[in-house]
Amino acid sequence: MRLLLVEDDHLLAEGLASQLEKAGFSVDTTHTAREAVILGAQEDYRVGVLDLGLPDGNGLDVLRKWRASNARFPVLILTARGDWQDKVNGLKAGADDYLSKPFQAEELIARLYAIVRRSEGRVQSSLKAGPFELDENRQSLKLADGTEHSLTGTEFRLLRCLMSRPGHVFSKEQLMEQLYNLSESPSENIIEAYIRRLRKLVGPDTIATRRGQGYLFNETT
């Protein structure tokens, strides 16, 4: 699940990106308003974390430009500005949540998953498709027989993407965008390798291949 982190404090951004990646996000980081506006409008993010005090502009202006360009991914404002009027202004500009600094990373991650769930029309912290249940907190998969299997970070992100929309065909390019950030450049063959590994867990027919199109999660098998 791809995430855009906009934070001008380089040290904070580096540490936060590491924790977010451990929690299952593929993170692109920028430190400027100018680049944030471009990335938010061009890339396919599932969620964003936005600081307000940026060196070349105001985070609220970035958010307004995202919304004006029809960027619909949920956004959490993360800032040192913590009075009620700042929160109201952020929510009116199109933010979905607001967290003041200092903060605990666990709370930030929980809030991010909550706004992503709401954007997907879910209330539970697990994804269910057919007899399978994907636990977002534990990054594990429960099978129909009740056995539970821990997933690697990449396996979790790939399966989460497929299970979030059962029956929808995802191209290799779309899956790559959700699994890896802009600084990574893995071969497209890596998707095939992870699909083979996941099929050993869910069965060969559950993740179907559409020749020339991509892959889909078949919840009816």
Side-chain angles (χ1 to χ4, degrees):
M1 181 162 47
R2 214 160 156 209
L3 180 149
L4 176 58
L5 172 60
V6 186
E7 171 58 62
D8 70 326
D9 184 324
H10 289 238
L11 187 60
L12 174 60
E14 184 179 347
L16 192 52
S18 176
Q19 290 177 299
L20 290 169
E21 287 171 357
K22 289 179 182 175
F25 296 97
S26 175
V27 182
D28 287 328
T29 302
T30 181
H31 311 294
T32 67
R34 180 178 177 278
E35 188 175 47
V37 170
I38 295 171
L39 289 174
Q42 292 184 349
E43 301 295 324
D44 183 19
Y45 293 108
R46 293 294 181 89
V47 65
V49 178
L50 177 64
D51 187 13
L52 294 184
L54 300 171
D56 59 340
N58 189 310
L60 288 184
D61 292 333
V62 172
L63 182 55
R64 293 189 184 100
K65 290 178 181 177
W66 283 347
R67 296 315 189 209
S69 65
N70 208 30
R72 298 183 177 181
F73 59 87
V75 173
L76 182 147
I77 290 177
L78 182 65
T79 180
R81 304 175 190 174
D83 66 47
W84 69 269
Q85 189 62 58
D86 287 322
K87 296 178 182 178
V88 169
N89 292 340
L91 295 170
K92 284 185 174 179
D96 299 85
D97 200 358
Y98 198 110
L99 185 61
S100 303
K101 300 175 183 175
F103 63 97
Q104 295 295 321
E106 291 81 359
E107 181 181 0
L108 172 63
I109 291 167
R111 285 173 178 263
L112 289 173
Y113 269 114
I115 61 176
V116 170
R117 285 200 303 272
R118 289 200 294 272
S119 72
E120 295 176 344
R122 294 187 295 118
V123 295
Q124 303 293 334
S125 61
S126 61
L127 272 174
K128 294 181 180 179
F132 305 100
E133 183 173 347
L134 186 67
D135 190 314
E136 293 181 328
N137 297 322
R138 303 174 63 184
Q139 297 189 18
S140 63
L141 178 69
K142 183 181 286 185
L143 306 183
D145 62 5
T147 59
E148 193 168 358
H149 298 265
S150 297
L151 303 171
T152 67
T154 304
E155 290 171 342
F156 170 73
R157 290 196 295 274
L158 177 54
L159 197 54
R160 191 195 182 285
C161 186
L162 292 168
M163 289 179 64
S164 67
R165 297 178 67 183
H168 178 83
V169 178
F170 290 91
S171 68
K172 278 187 180 178
E173 292 75 16
Q174 289 173 318
L175 293 174
M176 293 282 283
E177 287 181 358
Q178 293 303 317
L179 264 62
Y180 299 101
N181 59 43
L182 292 173
S183 63
E184 299 172 307
S185 54
S187 164
E188 287 191 3
N189 293 334
I190 196 76
I191 295 294
E192 296 174 6
Y194 277 104
I195 290 289
R196 284 197 298 271
R197 289 169 58 167
L198 289 175
R199 279 173 171 160
K200 292 180 181 178
L201 282 177
V202 301
D205 297 327
T206 302
I207 300 178
T209 301
R210 288 286 176 85
R211 189 173 298 279
Q213 299 180 47
Y215 301 95
L216 65 86
F217 194 91
N218 187 357
E219 61 182 340
T220 62
T221 57

